[in-house]
Amino acid sequence: MFDPTDLYRLSEDVPELTDPVLLYHFDGFVDAGGAGRLALGHLLAELEHRVVATFDVDRLLDYRSRRPIMTFDTDRWTAVDSPEITLRLAHDTTGTPFLLLTGPEPDREWELFTAAVGTLVTRLGVGSLVTAHGIPMAVPHTRPLGVTAHAARPESVTGRTSVFGKVQVPGSVAALIEFRLGEQGHDAFGYAVHVPHYLAQAEYPTAAVTALEEITKGTGLVFPLEGLRAAAERTTAEIAAQIEASEELSTAITGLEQQYDAFAAGAERSLMAEPAEMPTGEELAAQFEAFLAERDERRND
């Protein structure tokens, strides 16, 4: 029997905390618009934090499936971008401590990794675990983003309407943590932000803003969002300019708006279905690729 605590190393000065929230997100699973990655990345960039625990990535990752970037300079190797799965302690804008667990999604030992997270949850007295990510939906960016809330205890998300019934989907470590730790009685929940399918492969800061606003509603944590909101406004303006310059895109977005409004008004049309006689998500995304590439080139100049 393997000991899950062998998967991580605690810092020497582990803090004493009272029911902290643990936010977590792992790169590698579906995250349309980079909603979860951008959200937690923004918190790490804006808030002071320190490492509480680090995981043994040599045991958890398959380096050959996602090779780390190394730098070669003239005649020698000078650097390696080593992956990390790290638990950090931060404080929100009111001074409330909370934890962030981030890094690449483990390739192996999912059950042992989940058990290891469980031991840290117990050791640090975590009150609730929260995750967020983006999922692609046939919705327009000109309407408020929807959110599907999920929880180990359904009563945690009462009052919300889900567009989903019973479905089977590929699993993720984030979902397994919610499921397994929920079985053990921990309060675990999350938010899936509905990202326009034509923006699923882009960085869409609006989705990250929505994710953090939902986390605030569910936990009471308060985050600095000014910079992220400004990035969202810039991106929205750039998208609007691209659509205005293309009659085909403009027509497609108008169709999505009509479908969204019909759904919101109670008409029996599903946001999961592609609109009739409209470009698919892949076709819309292809039309945006040139725009996104051009935007990235301008930012790098």
Side-chain angles (χ1 to χ4, degrees), residues 80-284:
V80 56
D81 186 10
S82 299
E84 295 181 342
I85 301 176
T86 308
L87 181 67
R88 295 179 172 89
L89 171 67
H91 293 77
D92 75 353
T93 57
T94 70
T96 301
F98 67 99
L99 299 161
L100 300 102
L101 177 59
T102 59
E105 182 181 48
D107 296 302
R108 54 175 67 92
E109 299 198 82
W110 279 19
E111 292 287 359
L112 192 65
F113 177 74
T114 299
V117 173
T119 64
L120 284 170
V121 165
T122 300
R123 171 66 178 79
L124 299 171
V126 169
S128 59
L129 299 94
V130 187
T131 189
H133 70 119
I135 55 175
M137 299 283 281
V139 296
H141 70 282
T142 52
R143 298 293 187 267
L145 298 185
V147 177
T148 293
H150 48 88
R153 294 187 300 107
E155 59 269 24
S156 299
V157 292
T158 54
R160 293 174 178 265
T161 301
S162 174
V163 299
F164 297 96
K166 184 177 181 179
V167 297
Q168 290 184 314
V169 298
S172 68
V173 164
L176 187 63
I177 287 173
E178 181 177 312
F179 179 62
R180 291 295 188 214
L181 297 193
E183 286 182 322
Q184 298 171 21
H186 295 289
D187 190 14
F189 57 98
Y191 304 100
V193 180
H194 303 171
V195 176
H197 53 344
Y198 51 90
L199 296 173
Q201 301 303 314
E203 288 195 349
Y204 191 46
T206 300
V209 171
T210 299
L212 290 176
E213 288 176 341
E214 290 296 324
I215 291 172
T216 291
K217 293 175 185 177
T219 66
L221 293 172
V222 182
F223 307 119
L225 297 180
E226 292 79 9
L228 197 58
R229 288 196 175 106
E233 291 174 0
R234 290 193 298 270
T235 299
T236 299
E238 292 169 348
I239 293 171
Q242 177 71 7
I243 292 171
E244 186 177 354
S246 169
E247 182 178 352
E248 186 176 5
L249 284 175
S250 179
T251 300
I253 299 303
T254 297
L256 283 173
E257 290 172 339
Q258 293 171 349
Q259 173 180 277
Y260 181 98
D261 293 342
F263 179 87
E268 293 183 355
R269 298 186 66 182
S270 172
L271 294 179
M272 297 297 294
E274 290 291 348
E277 299 181 0
M278 289 183 59
T280 65
E282 290 75 13
E283 291 168 341
L284 278 170

